[in-house]
Amino acid sequence: MKIIGTGSALPKKVVTNDMLTEFFDTSDEWIRTRTGIETRRILTDESLLDLAISASQRALDAAGLKAEELDYIICSNVNNNYVYPSMSCMVQGAIGATCPCFDIRIACAGFVYAMDIAESFLQTGRAHKILVLAAEEPTRFCHWKQRETSVLFGDGAGAAVVTEGGEYLGARMTTISNTEVLFQRNRLEPTPFEVEGVYVDHPMVMQGREVFRMAVSSCSKEISYLLEETGHKVSDVKYFLLHQANMRIIKGIEQYLGGTDEQYPTTVQKYGNTSSASIAILLDEQVRANAIDRGDLIVMSGFGSGFTTGSLLMKY
Ligand code: UT7
């Protein structure tokens, strides 16, 4: 796999920590010290689809490709206003692509899983040019009476166009079924046959400390194994593009693996946790800042509800 173009898009509304004190008993100091988040972007008059289309178009422009040339669109998305069709189907029509598309729902680790699926398609020759997209609006999953979760998230979309000809050195995906630490239950239409109490909707539940612990432990181990398996050292890697959930989680992984602060770029301070879009947005920012050169080794690693973790190592 070779990344030939990246793009991202964020809502225009910047929400500061101080603005959130209007809705919750919280403070800029608490949010900064516990998470590193200073601002996040939240959708107002745009839709998530608008962001997904912009990020995709930017990635295609950067790759110098027309949408008709795509062989597949894979989109990571947990939820949006449409139950169906999938986000990738809606993006396909809007950008003028004609290829098959599908969405995956693996929460915050979704972009890494989508990249790994894209690599398999390239390996088997099923596709040659793939748009890998992550579009998420986690601020719409939060129960806006819960300060524990609502202060953490932001909305956004990021995309990469990939093709053959690069070096995808390895990946490790881990799924540990744990539905208790981070979940949300949807409201479904009741049927006359439903037995009361079987289907209950529930706003987001997050056992923050447990998710924190699992994230640091799982990502750190997975990246270590990945480097060991492929015969690489931490110092060989230019950037660890980690899921941007909490600055303290990023620092925890850095402490375990070692390396310098420069190897762990962050956007969490600006955008909060944008779920699976966070790694795609971070990648695009590094590419557009000319911070990554061809041949640089990059690791992408995400974690989230499931509990899922996904890490990959490739040459940019
Ligand atoms: O994408 C994956 C999804 N999620 C994550 O990655 C989240 C992982 N977890 C975390 O990032 C952290 O656990 C949190 C940021 C969610 C919480 O930080 P913490 O240091 O683990 O705090 P805590 O949950 O232990 O809460 C400490 C205190 C509690 O008060 P008491 O019991 O000590 O009096 C909370 O009620 O902070 C209180 N608290 C708040 N205070 C002000 C919780 N949320 C807030 C808030 N503002 N927003």
Side-chain angles (χ1 to χ4, degrees):
M1 175 192 285
K2 183 179 183 189
I3 297 170
I4 55 168
T6 62
S8 59
L10 292 144
K12 58 183 174 304
K13 177 83 174 170
V14 179
V15 177
T16 63
N17 293 339
D18 279 335
M19 285 159 84
L20 295 178
T21 61
E22 233 181 271
F23 313 105
F24 315 107
D25 176 18
T26 189
S27 65
D28 176 53
E29 206 251 329
W30 191 95
I31 302 171
R32 270 177 204 260
T33 52
R34 301 282 176 143
T35 71
I37 299 167
E38 294 165 19
T39 57
R40 74 282 294 137
R41 303 288 190 92
I42 299 187
L43 287 161
T44 51
D45 59 355
E46 329 91 320
S47 73
L48 184 63
L49 179 59
D50 296 331
L51 300 188
I53 294 167
S54 301
S56 301
Q57 198 54 62
R58 284 174 191 152
L60 281 169
D61 291 347
L65 278 191
K66 292 196 180 67
E68 306 92 278
E69 294 176 80
L70 289 171
D71 299 317
Y72 248 104
I73 301 173
I74 307 173
C75 176
S76 164
N77 171 255
V78 172
N79 211 351
N80 69 83
N81 195 217
Y82 280 81
V83 176
Y84 43 81
S86 67
M87 177 63 78
S88 53
C89 290
M90 294 190 281
V91 169
Q92 187 241 39
I95 63 175
T98 53
C99 59
C101 317
F102 63 93
D103 281 14
I104 60 168
R105 194 153 64 107
I106 312 178
C108 302
F111 183 69
V112 182
Y113 276 70
M115 290 288 274
D116 199 48
I117 296 166
E119 165 67 8
S120 314
F121 278 25
L122 296 171
Q123 287 277 352
T124 55
R126 287 288 300 278
H128 306 286
K129 294 181 178 70
I130 305 174
L131 174 69
V132 185
L133 169 67
E136 304 281 15
E137 47 186 338
T139 65
R140 312 292 285 273
F141 319 154
C142 296
H143 184 41
W144 277 81
K145 296 245 178 304
Q146 281 178 348
R147 63 178 184 177
E148 291 79 4
T149 50
S150 304
V151 302
L152 304 176
F153 294 97
D155 306 318
V161 177
V162 298
T163 187
E164 300 107 331
E167 278 181 68
Y168 190 88
L169 298 159
R172 280 186 81 99
M173 306 288 143
T174 315
T175 302
I176 302 165
S177 179
N178 182 334
T179 50
E180 298 303 310
V181 291
L182 184 51
F183 72 90
Q184 178 169 1
R185 293 201 201 115
N186 261 347
R187 184 177 297 113
L188 299 178
E189 294 300 321
T191 75
F193 309 104
E194 185 180 314
V195 175
E196 212 182 312
V198 177
Y199 291 99
V200 185
D201 60 298
H202 204 294
M204 186 192 292
V205 168
M206 185 171 71
Q207 294 171 23
R209 284 188 187 186
E210 189 54 12
V211 173
F212 192 112
R213 190 194 62 74
M214 290 175 82
V216 174
S217 149
S218 191
C219 279
S220 303
K221 285 186 196 143
E222 205 172 74
I223 297 170
S224 290
Y225 290 140
L226 183 58
L227 293 177
E228 204 180 299
E229 260 171 14
T230 56
H232 290 92
K233 302 187 294 296
V234 166
S235 56
D236 296 334
V237 177
K238 179 82 179 270
Y239 292 122
F240 292 90
L241 305 175
L242 306 181
H243 173 41
Q244 303 287 299
N246 184 325
M247 196 66 90
R248 287 161 55 219
I249 294 179
I250 298 167
K251 290 288 169 205
I253 298 170
E254 179 182 340
Q255 255 167 30
Y256 182 97
L257 294 173
T260 62
D261 286 353
E262 291 67 41
Q263 287 173 282
Y264 297 84
T266 58
T267 55
V268 67
Q269 64 279 23
K270 296 188 287 186
Y271 307 141
N273 179 348
T274 56
S275 186
S276 72
S278 83
I279 295 175
I281 294 168
L282 180 61
L283 169 70
D284 182 49
E285 291 214 346
Q286 294 303 105
V287 169
R288 283 176 194 268
N290 292 319
I292 308 184
D293 294 318
R294 286 285 166 206
D296 282 345
L297 284 184
I298 52 175
V299 164
M300 297 183 201
S301 182
F303 59 86
S305 176
F307 195 83
T308 51
T309 320
S311 305
L312 66 83
L313 172 69
M314 68 182 293
K315 263 191 190 163
Y316 176 69

